[in-house]
């Protein structure tokens, strides 16, 4: 690993109405370094990445960015990419209706006299796919492939731009363990090619595993940077919350109260294959003051179980519920809201808010059908 600084930013500050999302952030990133940034929700990590990658143009924030010693003023993402800063965003934006190959070459299509040269595009795409072991047909539409493969496609695409700094904003949040391993292997290969990665994650064990350097953000500020070996979990958490913590996961004395919710015999059939059960006869109880975790791999049926309870699963569902001992029938999310059952979905951007309307309209009474 070289000691050469590839990316240096100083005093970066970005404001939104009513909030300073990033305040006086300065940092140096070295070639071939895997540099993690951690911090609680809203700490400013994504905003910082968006400044570095041209999502926010240079005149919308203050401070300076230097790449290989040269001052950068990116007007847009394409400019940042052409200089070698590429971001894999937290909310993946790909053209789902287009093919893998079309997405790989987006903005940069091989052409003959202005007309897309499909033959070259697909054969070049196949080469990239082979090089990256993507195991996907370049003619497949992107909507048909999983998130892990989408990320790898974006990384592969980044390689076109002679990437110097790759920004990964929570890439593993929705990946299975196996997919995480593949992604980590790729990131380590990039490191060997002397590419620097800025890696954002909420999973501290992952951060400890992969990072050379760890930086912590809190309330828009960088509050600590140190080599991985000097940042144990306790120090990271103290920096994140802004005070010393005796124990990262303190033992609580818990005496659960009476049963509030009882869910019985949840069975969900695959809407496409009615003989296949996505969830098979699951029952559980929730007590007052209790936090109940559902653990399992991607595809285990956790989300579907919750959707079934909310009357939001579009397909054949059996689900019996009792609230405080009284049987309830919840046929739609608005029934759930009436019974004071709230829901925070996993895909916050698509399902958590209606982005095209006002903050006020996003507050209850919230009676829209989930997912529609
Ligand atoms: N487009 C925007 N408009 C208004 N406020 C924003 C916008 N983007 C971010 N913010 C605010 O800026 C602050 C920093 O947000 P940011 O998304 O950068 O945090 P984060 O560290 O990435 O959080 P998370 O871990 O939840 O992804 C938050 O208070 C957020 O509400
Ligand atoms: Mg973020």
């Amino acid at each position: 690993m070289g000691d050469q600084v590839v990316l240096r930013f100083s005093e970066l500050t970005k404001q939104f109405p009513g909030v300073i999302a990033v305040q006086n952030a300065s940092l140096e990133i070295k070639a071939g370094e895997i540099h993690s940034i951690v911090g609680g929700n809203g700490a400013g990590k994504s905003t910082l990445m968006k400044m570095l990658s041209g999502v926010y143009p240079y005149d919308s924030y203050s401070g300076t960015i230097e790449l290989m010693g040269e001052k950068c003023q990116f007007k847009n993402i394409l400019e940042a990419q052409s200089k070698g800063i590429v971001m894999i965003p937290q909310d993946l934006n790909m053209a789902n209706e287009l093919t893998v190959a079309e997405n790989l070459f987006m903005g940069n299509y091989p052409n003959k006299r202005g007309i897309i040269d499909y033959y070259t595009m697909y054969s070049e795409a196949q080469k990239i796919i082979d090089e990256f072991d993507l195991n996907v047909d370049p003619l497949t539409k992107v909507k048909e492939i999983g998130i892990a493969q989408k990320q790898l496609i974006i990384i592969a695409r980044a390689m076109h731009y002679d990437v110097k700094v790759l920004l990964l904003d929570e890439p593993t949040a929705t990946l299975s363990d196996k997919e995480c391993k593949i992604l980590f292997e790729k990131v380590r290969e990039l490191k060997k090619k002397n590419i620097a990665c800025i890696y954002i994650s909420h999973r501290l064990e992952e951060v400890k595993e992969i990072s050379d350097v760890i930086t912590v953000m809190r309330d828009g500020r960088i509050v600590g940077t140190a080599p991985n070996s000097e940042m144990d979990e306790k120090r990271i958490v103290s920096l994140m919350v802004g005070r010393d913590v005796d124990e990262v996961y303190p033992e609580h004395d818990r005496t659960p109260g009476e049963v509030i919710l009882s869910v019985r015999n949840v069975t969900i059939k695959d809407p496409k294959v009615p003989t296949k059960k996505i969830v098979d006869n699951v029952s559980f109880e929730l007590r007052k003051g209790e936090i109940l975790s559902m653990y399992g791999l991607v595809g285990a049926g956790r989300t579907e179980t919750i959707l079934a309870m909310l009357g939001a699963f579009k397909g054949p569902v059996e689900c019996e519920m009792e609230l405080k001992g009284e049987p309830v029938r919840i046929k739609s999310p608005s029934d759930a809201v009436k019974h004071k059952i709230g829901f925070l979905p996993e895909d916050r951007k698509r399902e958590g808010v209606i982005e095209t309307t006002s903050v006020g309209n996003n507050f209850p009474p919230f009676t829209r059908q989930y997912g529609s």
Side-chain angles (χ1 to χ4, degrees):
M1 187 172 71
D3 268 348
Q4 184 199 13
V5 173
V6 266
L7 178 70
R8 173 184 291 120
F9 52 87
S10 327
E11 304 284 308
L12 288 183
T13 298
K14 166 104 186 140
Q15 279 181 288
F16 293 110
V19 53
I20 305 178
V22 172
Q23 197 165 5
N24 289 328
S26 306
L27 208 59
E28 285 182 350
I29 312 284
K30 293 186 178 131
E33 179 174 273
I34 301 177
H35 194 126
S36 288
I37 300 187
V38 294
N41 291 117
K45 306 176 297 289
S46 296
T47 304
L48 181 59
M49 295 305 110
K50 288 177 187 167
M51 289 192 262
L52 298 176
S53 60
V55 173
Y56 295 138
Y58 73 95
D59 53 6
S60 71
Y61 59 84
S62 64
T64 53
I65 299 172
E66 278 171 58
L67 188 68
M68 320 276 287
E70 199 182 307
K71 197 172 168 199
C72 301
Q73 294 192 318
F74 301 131
K75 288 197 219 56
N76 52 44
I77 303 175
L78 283 177
E79 253 186 53
Q81 281 184 349
S82 66
K83 294 276 183 200
I85 302 185
V86 175
M87 171 156 76
I88 315 290
Q90 189 166 11
D91 305 301
L92 284 181
N93 285 323
M94 294 185 81
N96 285 320
E97 292 296 330
L98 298 184
T99 63
V100 168
E102 285 166 323
N103 272 278
L104 271 172
F105 288 96
M106 186 155 292
N108 193 16
Y109 291 124
N111 67 79
K112 275 186 188 150
R113 278 179 253 117
I115 295 169
I116 296 179
D117 175 358
Y118 282 98
Y119 180 80
T120 307
M121 183 171 82
Y122 283 107
S123 55
E124 287 298 309
Q126 189 64 56
K127 281 188 209 156
I128 297 169
I129 286 166
D130 293 342
E131 194 185 320
F132 263 75
D133 289 328
L134 287 179
N135 193 20
V136 59
D137 184 334
L139 283 158
T140 312
K141 282 194 177 169
V142 160
K143 68 178 175 192
E144 278 154 30
I145 62 175
I147 294 183
Q149 278 197 315
K150 284 189 192 175
Q151 286 177 341
L152 293 175
I153 288 170
I154 300 185
I155 294 180
R157 186 168 75 186
M159 295 303 117
H160 275 307
Y161 291 97
D162 182 21
V163 62
K164 297 188 178 69
V165 186
L166 184 69
L167 314 176
L168 294 141
D169 193 354
E170 287 198 55
T172 56
T174 43
L175 298 189
S176 69
D177 287 355
K178 190 170 152 237
E179 291 168 331
C180 286
K181 285 212 173 75
I182 298 174
L183 181 75
F184 277 19
E185 267 171 40
K186 283 287 166 234
V187 170
R188 291 196 178 102
E189 280 170 29
L190 300 180
K191 179 182 168 66
K192 282 193 204 126
K193 293 182 184 161
N194 227 19
I195 293 168
C197 288
I198 301 186
Y199 183 81
I200 294 179
S201 174
H202 280 279
R203 301 184 187 170
L204 294 189
E205 58 298 5
E206 226 172 67
V207 166
K208 287 296 294 173
E209 182 189 330
I210 198 155
S211 317
D212 298 307
V213 182
I214 300 173
T215 287
V216 184
M217 289 186 76
R218 184 177 74 244
D219 296 338
R221 292 171 189 274
I222 290 177
V223 289
T225 295
N228 189 347
S229 57
E230 293 167 25
M231 276 280 193
D232 59 17
E233 217 169 285
K234 200 170 156 184
R235 183 167 170 207
I236 296 173
V237 175
S238 300
L239 286 166
M240 274 169 65
V241 299
R243 59 183 160 77
D244 280 343
V245 278
D246 299 330
E247 281 176 274
V248 177
Y249 302 111
E251 276 292 321
H252 286 296
D253 182 22
R254 291 193 190 89
T255 19
E258 77 267 25
V259 173
I260 298 248
L261 174 72
S262 124
V263 180
R264 273 186 229 301
N265 309 326
V266 181
T267 296
I268 304 172
K269 292 184 184 140
D270 189 329
K272 290 192 195 118
V273 193
T275 48
K276 192 177 146 205
K277 287 180 180 168
I278 302 174
V279 176
D280 190 1
N281 213 11
V282 167
S283 302
F284 56 90
E285 282 179 343
L286 183 68
R287 290 169 179 276
K288 196 170 181 176
E290 192 172 60
I291 297 171
L292 174 75
S293 298
M294 282 192 191
Y295 187 75
L297 292 178
V298 174
R302 297 161 302 176
T303 306
E304 288 83 355
T305 303
I306 299 294
L307 293 183
M309 289 168 57
L310 295 162
F313 186 83
K314 298 205 174 83
V317 161
E318 287 163 42
C319 173
E320 295 158 28
M321 276 170 54
E322 278 180 16
L323 265 176
K324 294 185 177 167
E326 296 289 322
V328 282
R329 273 199 66 72
I330 292 184
K331 291 199 268 340
S332 70
S334 56
D335 287 345
V337 172
K338 275 180 214 141
H339 285 98
K340 301 191 176 159
I341 301 177
F343 175 54
L344 295 176
E346 61 179 341
D347 187 341
R348 55 189 181 174
K349 193 173 167 189
R350 203 164 63 89
E351 297 163 348
V353 290
I354 303 164
E355 283 197 315
T356 45
T357 185
S358 67
V359 173
N361 281 344
N362 269 283
F363 276 91
F366 188 78
T367 49
R368 282 175 66 105
Q369 176 82 15
Y370 170 84
S372 66

